[in-house]
């Protein structure tokens, strides 16, 4: 459904309020060729309505000659900030950056955050943003989950489909994504609503069965058959199955990088206003699939880098895979049972 500017401005105002934006602070809106015009228009109005100083920084896209699709999360290479001192200085001098471009994880972004600047990524279409306006309750719930991860030494995941994964954890911190930036130096993504960490380097083992109907991102497709990953010493060493497995194997092989097969972030979705089924309603060009990443009760794991969590692995290949109907446990205690979160819901 179309969204009125009034609705989207109100949504932005609420996200900025939750992000503690104050009159007189400086907000830079980062844009590029694929920025949604209504998102930009309404963000600009909301920022000004709260009395902040607003800049717009428009940067050209990069990586086109290497990326295999238009999805901004599909290829983690250089960013438009690489070697761009003037742009980095502008962002460091801002209190808040609204990233309508998709900056992605990069040394430049980490550097900007260290300066205290907050960054909020928001690139989904207007109706998704309006539906998924975050709340204080979301924040509490996701932070509670992250604290449980932080206290645990092992995350295990099983499913009737055959997943049986063991991930020693603790080497990397837990991250809570709740779609607003209420602390200096914080990065977040609207929409979101999930908690995760990374397995200890080289220690994830077992088997992951991507079941029929599960989602691959950036493929933005529902699998039509099982894909079975064998996980040894932190890496997916075999990808077996039918055509879906072949498609995944060829896509990953095109990066020609063994680090792309590492088990990356592991966690679960906690956002009741996101849905497994939403991806089926969109053309692939219209969304980056945040509903799939955040829907309540998924087990979201990924393949690829761990530099986002403080690790040393960088790779251009990054696949996010939310699984349904999994049971996730921390040190043997179930936190998600058959795709249902066991925390009593949002309070
Ligand atoms: Fe990811």
């Amino acid at each position: 459904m179309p969204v009125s500017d009034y609705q989207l401005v109100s949504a932005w105002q609420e996200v900025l309020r939750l992000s503690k934006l104050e009159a007189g602070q400086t907000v830079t809106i980062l844009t590029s060729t694929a920025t949604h015009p209504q998102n930009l228009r309404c963000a600009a109005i909301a920022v000004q309505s709260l009395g902040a100083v607003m800049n717009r920084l428009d940067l050209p896209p990069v990586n086109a000659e290497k990326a295999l699709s238009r999805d901004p999360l599909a290829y983690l290479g250089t960013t438009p900030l690489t070697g761009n001192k003037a742009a980095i200085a502008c962002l460091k001098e801002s209190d808040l950056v609204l990233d309508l471009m998709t900056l992605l994880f990069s040394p430049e972004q980490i550097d900007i955050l260290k300066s205290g600047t907050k960054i909020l990524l928001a690139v989904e279409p207007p109706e998704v943003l309006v539906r998924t306006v975050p709340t204080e309750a979301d924040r509490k719930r996701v932070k509670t989950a992250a604290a449980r991860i932080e206290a645990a030494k092992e995350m295990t995941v099983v499913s009737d489909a055959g997943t049986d994964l063991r991930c020693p954890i603790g080497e990397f911190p837990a991250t809570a994504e709740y779609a607003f930036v209420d602390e200096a130096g914080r990065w977040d993504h609207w929409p979101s609503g999930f908690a995760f960490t990374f397995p200890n380097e080289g220690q994830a083992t077992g088997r992951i069965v991507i079941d029929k109907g599960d989602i691959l991102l950036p493929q933005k497709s529902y699998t039509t058959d099982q894909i079975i990953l064998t996980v040894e010493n932190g890496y997916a060493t075999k990808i077996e199955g039918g055509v879906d497995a072949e498609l995944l194997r060829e896509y990953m092989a095109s990066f020609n990088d063994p680090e792309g097969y590492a088990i990356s972030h592991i966690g679960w979705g906690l956002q009741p206003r996101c849905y497994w089924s939403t991806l089926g309603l969109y053309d692939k060009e219209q969304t980056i699939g945040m509903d799939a990443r955040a829907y309540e009760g998924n087990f979201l794991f990924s393949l690829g880098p761990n530099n986002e969590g403080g690790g040393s692995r960088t790779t251009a290949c990054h696949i996010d895979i939310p699984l349904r109907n999994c049971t996730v446990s921390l040190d043997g205690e179930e936190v998600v049972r058959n795709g249902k979160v066991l925390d009593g819901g949002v309070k």
Side-chain angles (χ1 to χ4, degrees):
M1 296 291 286
V3 168
S4 72
D5 281 5
Y6 173 73
Q7 275 182 300
L8 189 53
V9 168
S10 301
W12 272 112
Q13 285 172 327
E14 176 61 9
V15 169
L16 295 174
R17 190 189 66 74
L18 288 166
S19 299
K20 300 181 177 166
L21 181 65
E22 293 170 15
Q25 290 189 324
T26 300
V27 178
T28 298
I29 303 180
L30 192 54
T31 62
S32 190
T33 50
T35 293
H36 195 292
Q38 193 181 16
N39 288 351
L40 170 60
R41 184 167 74 239
C42 294
I45 293 169
V47 166
Q48 292 170 87
S49 76
L50 295 177
V53 176
M54 197 203 94
N55 303 307
R56 175 177 170 188
L57 179 61
D58 191 62
L59 299 175
V62 294
N63 298 316
E65 75 285 6
K66 290 173 274 189
L68 295 173
S69 78
R70 287 169 54 84
D71 188 293
L73 300 175
Y75 190 94
L76 306 186
T78 57
T79 78
L81 292 184
T82 308
N84 189 341
K85 285 185 188 166
I88 293 168
C90 169
L91 301 182
K92 279 187 174 175
E93 289 298 319
S94 306
D95 296 293
L96 170 64
V97 173
L98 300 179
D99 178 2
L100 310 191
M101 176 187 85
T102 315
L103 183 53
L104 290 181
F105 301 100
S106 60
E108 294 81 13
Q109 178 167 287
I110 292 166
D111 195 32
I112 292 161
L113 293 168
K114 276 188 188 151
S115 77
T117 300
K118 304 168 176 178
I119 302 179
L120 181 68
L121 173 63
V123 293
E124 286 287 31
E127 69 279 6
V128 174
L129 296 184
V130 164
R131 167 165 49 84
T132 59
V133 172
T135 65
E136 185 58 32
D138 291 342
R139 186 186 74 85
K140 276 192 198 143
R141 189 183 194 199
V142 176
K143 292 270 277 191
T144 300
R148 291 186 73 174
I149 293 173
E150 194 88 41
K153 290 276 168 271
E154 182 178 72
M155 186 186 295
T156 50
V157 187
V158 296
S159 73
D160 289 346
T163 293
D164 190 356
L165 180 71
R166 193 177 77 82
C167 299
I169 57 175
E171 185 176 338
F172 303 104
T175 298
E177 283 190 27
Y178 46 80
F180 57 94
V181 282
D182 54 336
E183 295 161 10
R186 179 172 172 78
W187 181 95
D188 213 314
H189 188 174
W190 171 27
S192 54
F194 43 79
F196 62 88
T197 187
F198 297 78
N200 293 352
E201 192 63 62
Q203 293 183 20
T205 56
R207 187 165 76 142
I208 299 172
V209 178
I210 303 165
D211 203 5
K212 204 188 270 193
D214 284 328
I215 292 169
L216 298 180
L217 302 163
Q219 283 76 3
K220 290 182 263 194
S221 59
Y222 295 91
T223 54
T224 56
D225 206 352
Q226 287 188 343
I227 304 173
I228 300 167
L229 307 184
T230 301
V231 180
E232 299 170 295
N233 302 320
Y235 289 81
T237 53
K238 279 189 213 151
I239 300 175
E240 297 171 297
V243 172
D244 286 320
E246 280 182 54
L247 287 167
L248 182 59
R249 276 202 306 266
E250 189 195 281
Y251 176 78
M252 294 189 72
S254 73
F255 288 83
N256 196 25
D257 183 357
E259 295 305 321
Y261 296 87
I263 303 300
S264 177
H265 53 80
I266 48 170
W268 65 95
L270 290 155
Q271 180 48 268
R273 296 183 299 288
C274 284
Y275 301 95
W276 165 74
S277 58
T278 301
L279 188 68
L281 306 170
Y282 277 85
D283 292 337
K284 294 189 184 194
E285 293 283 308
Q286 293 176 312
T287 176
I288 58 167
M290 287 309 293
D291 270 87
R293 289 182 178 89
Y295 73 80
E296 181 168 342
N298 73 22
F299 168 62
L300 176 64
F301 81 100
S302 72
L303 299 169
N306 65 2
N307 58 327
E308 178 195 345
S312 58
R313 187 183 319 107
T314 56
T315 171
C317 185
H318 182 61
I319 320 262
D320 281 332
I321 307 174
L323 302 182
R324 292 191 298 161
N325 306 317
C326 288
T327 295
V328 182
S329 302
L330 294 172
D331 293 340
E333 189 180 341
E334 292 180 353
V335 288
V336 178
R337 184 185 300 147
N338 295 325
K340 297 273 181 292
V341 179
L342 299 179
D343 66 353
V346 181
K347 294 185 185 70

